[in-house]
Amino acid sequence: EKALRQVAEVKCFYSQHFSGKSAPPADLPHTRMAGDAVLVERLCGLNFAISPNAFFQVNTAAAGELGRVLAGMCSAYGSDAVLLDVCCGTGTWGLALARTVKRVIGVELS
């Protein structure tokens, strides 16, 4: 583990074996090989703990800029605005924009 962290700035490393032809099932187990159990990323002033199966914005610099643009758009609607976060997943955008609107409604079907 120490050698892995020295070669690259690896925060956590998981292994998962799947011999199928498409995406593995969601309940297929992972083995943590090194590092922390979760990856913590900061986006729009918030910390997100990301597990191996979680979806998250991989380019946090670009996502942060998008968050600033979206916050400006939400603010333009005034303090009574309601944000509908469709396909919200873990709620990244709803959480990041909550301070700019009166209410957030997150909808996720999976």
Side-chain angles (χ1 to χ4, degrees):
E1 181 175 332
K2 184 177 177 183
L4 184 61
R5 285 185 186 253
Q6 288 175 343
V7 173
E9 293 183 25
V10 175
K11 304 287 187 200
C12 59
F13 179 72
Y14 279 86
S15 174
Q16 182 182 50
H17 178 75
F18 177 65
S19 59
K21 295 181 180 181
S22 186
D27 61 349
L28 188 65
H30 298 86
T31 302
R32 183 164 51 105
M33 306 299 287
D36 303 326
V38 295
L39 178 65
V40 177
E41 286 284 347
R42 188 155 181 84
L43 179 61
C44 297
L46 301 171
N47 289 329
F48 292 88
I50 306 164
S51 63
N53 279 341
F55 171 81
F56 196 74
Q57 307 297 322
V58 295
N59 186 337
T60 53
E65 182 59 31
L66 176 60
R68 285 185 282 283
V69 170
L70 292 173
M73 293 173 72
C74 288
S75 294
Y77 284 98
S79 60
D80 287 335
V82 175
L83 173 65
L84 179 60
D85 187 359
V86 179
C87 301
C88 66
T90 59
T92 304
W93 294 116
L95 290 168
L97 299 169
R99 61 187 83 133
T100 64
V101 295
K102 182 177 183 177
R103 184 174 179 203
V104 174
I105 300 170
V107 179
E108 179 59 55
L109 299 178
S110 60

